[in-house]
């Protein structure tokens, strides 16, 4: 049974990350699909073993800018001219690539992108290849947290949507400053949807999050365990403190029964495929009775 939790909520930010672990794109509105916001995590980088590469291994990926035009994905970097990748799905042989323990079908992009990455990032990027999720393939979300439902995603870590709140960031930053550490921006957590609320950690008690208009709704499935990417500046790749904000998140024990530091909630779409989310949309959250 559900009870009303919050009704004074609204969307504060919308973000997509077309290429996993490269820079994101801040949006004023975004189209909803069951696999995530349109164009989110449709590409990723793989090594010569066809395994995904992220800022966990290569923090300098944060220095690669990403833009979308009507017909191309555009990658940019201060050290080289931009390169465009057509949005039209490539032809050729599909390959099997790995993201965590999942094996997915993907299209390899041209070798020109591989050469561009090495020119931008240097020897550390040698051999990296950009691959695109094959839309004819379905990557299932882990069933354990879906309560009998089904959901799919592309190259996200595991779920199609990541939802965070301004209240939780304010609480985390207050704790960081109390420890003598610098506050961090929301970009460190790479969310898709940021909800404006003064309440800290309130999203951890939500079961659903719906548009007040009824146009769309999400199911919040699982708290998001954070990794060392949160220590990386998402524009410069600088790491000012390799321990923070993870050390403080762990100490805050936002998920008392779980080990590690948690921030935000992984979510799936309940309804509203094809709807448009907009900054300022009013939301209603419901929580589960204990």
């Amino acid at each position: 049974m559900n009870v009303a939790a919050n009704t004074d909520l609204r969307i504060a930010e919308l973000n997509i990350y077309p290429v996993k672990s490269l820079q994101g794109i801040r949006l004023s509105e975004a189209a909803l699909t069951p696999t995530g916001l349109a164009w989110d995590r449709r590409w990723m980088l793989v090594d010569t073993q066809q395994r995904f590469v992220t800022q966990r291994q290569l923090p300098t990926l944060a220095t690669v800018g990403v833009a979308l035009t009507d017909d191309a994905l555009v990658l940019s970097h201060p050290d080289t001219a931009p390169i465009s990748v057509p949005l039209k799905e490539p032809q050729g042989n599909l390959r099997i690539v790995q993201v965590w323990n999942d094996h997915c079908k993907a299209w390899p992009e041209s070798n020109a992108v591989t050469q561009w990455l090495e020119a931008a990032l240097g020897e550390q990027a040698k051999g990296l290849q950009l691959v695109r999720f094959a839309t004819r393939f379905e990557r299932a979300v882990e069933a354990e947290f879906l309560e009998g439902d089904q959901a799919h995603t592309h190259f996200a870590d595991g779920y199609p949507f990541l939802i965070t709140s301004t209240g939780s960031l304010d609480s985390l930053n207050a704790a960081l400053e109390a420890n003598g550490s610098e506050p961090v921006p929301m970009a460190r957590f790479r969310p898709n949807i940021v909800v404006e609320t003064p309440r800290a950690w309130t999203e951890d008690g939500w079961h659903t999050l719906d548009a007040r208009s009824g146009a769309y709704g999400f199911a919040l499935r699982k708290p998001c365990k954070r990794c060392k990417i949160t220590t990386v500046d998402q524009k410069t790749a600088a790491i000012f403190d390799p321990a923070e904000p993870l050390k403080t998140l762990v100490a805050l024990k936002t998920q008392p029964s779980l080990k590690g530091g948690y921030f935000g909630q992984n979510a799936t779409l309940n309804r509203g495929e094809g709807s448009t989310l907009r900054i300022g949309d009013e939301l209603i959250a419901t929580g589960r009775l204990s």
Side-chain angles (χ1 to χ4, degrees):
M1 181 178 180
N2 294 331
V3 292
N6 292 117
T7 58
D8 56 342
L9 309 171
R10 66 184 65 247
I11 295 178
E13 282 184 32
L14 292 169
N15 303 285
I16 59 171
Y17 310 88
V19 184
K20 186 178 182 69
S21 239
L22 301 192
Q23 289 181 11
I25 301 174
R26 188 100 168 248
L27 302 173
S28 59
E29 61 180 48
L32 267 176
T33 81
T35 53
L37 300 183
W39 296 107
D40 189 51
R41 273 86 170 196
R42 290 291 296 276
W43 288 266
M44 73 176 181
L45 298 172
V46 296
D47 60 20
T48 56
Q49 304 302 311
Q50 306 307 305
R51 182 169 173 80
F52 75 126
V53 175
T54 72
Q55 292 178 37
R56 297 172 184 89
Q57 299 89 14
L58 199 59
T60 54
L61 295 180
T63 63
V64 180
V66 178
L68 288 170
T69 68
D70 289 341
D71 56 8
L73 168 77
V74 181
L75 304 182
S76 61
H77 191 273
D79 293 341
T80 189
I83 187 170
S84 294
V85 179
L87 293 184
K88 184 178 179 181
E89 204 165 67
Q91 300 300 312
N93 295 323
L94 287 169
R95 65 175 57 173
I96 302 298
V97 299
Q98 186 173 355
V99 52
W100 296 112
N101 293 322
D102 292 336
H103 293 82
C104 308
K105 292 182 180 180
W107 300 102
E109 299 290 0
S110 71
N111 287 331
V113 182
T114 295
Q115 295 167 3
W116 183 89
L117 288 165
E118 188 173 348
L121 301 178
E123 186 71 17
Q124 60 187 337
K126 188 172 184 179
L128 293 185
Q129 184 157 30
L130 184 69
V131 298
R132 180 190 316 216
F133 194 93
T135 52
R136 68 183 70 174
F137 174 77
E138 290 186 337
R139 179 184 171 216
V141 172
E142 57 187 354
E144 180 182 356
F145 296 92
L146 296 187
E147 300 176 342
D149 296 331
Q150 291 186 341
H152 299 87
T153 189
H154 290 140
F155 287 138
D157 272 357
Y159 286 79
F161 304 95
L162 176 61
I163 298 174
T164 62
S165 79
T166 57
S168 295
L169 182 66
D170 290 344
S171 178
L172 170 61
N173 280 335
L176 285 168
E177 292 180 298
N179 293 337
S181 299
E182 292 294 318
V184 296
M186 188 66 83
R188 293 286 186 94
F189 302 98
R190 299 176 67 85
N192 296 116
I193 301 167
V194 179
V195 178
E196 183 179 347
T197 174
R199 299 178 180 90
W201 318 112
T202 183
E203 64 274 17
D204 292 338
W206 297 344
H207 182 53
T208 62
L209 183 66
D210 302 293
R212 184 181 287 275
S213 68
Y216 55 81
F218 302 93
L220 280 74
R221 302 293 190 174
K222 180 184 179 182
C224 186
K225 188 175 184 179
R226 309 316 306 216
C227 70
K228 66 181 182 180
I229 289 178
T230 60
T231 69
V232 180
D233 185 292
Q234 291 300 300
K235 289 292 184 183
T236 67
I239 301 175
F240 300 105
D241 184 341
E244 294 291 6
L246 285 175
K247 181 180 177 181
T248 297
L249 272 178
V250 171
L252 286 172
K253 296 186 181 299
T254 61
Q255 297 291 328
S257 64
L258 301 174
K259 292 182 179 180
Y262 292 81
F263 189 94
Q265 288 282 330
N266 293 295
T268 60
L269 190 66
N270 267 348
R271 66 179 185 280
E273 179 179 358
S275 298
T276 299
L277 282 74
R278 293 180 175 87
I279 299 295
D281 279 1
E282 295 181 346
L283 305 171
I284 298 175
T286 60
R288 179 173 295 156
L289 282 173
S290 58

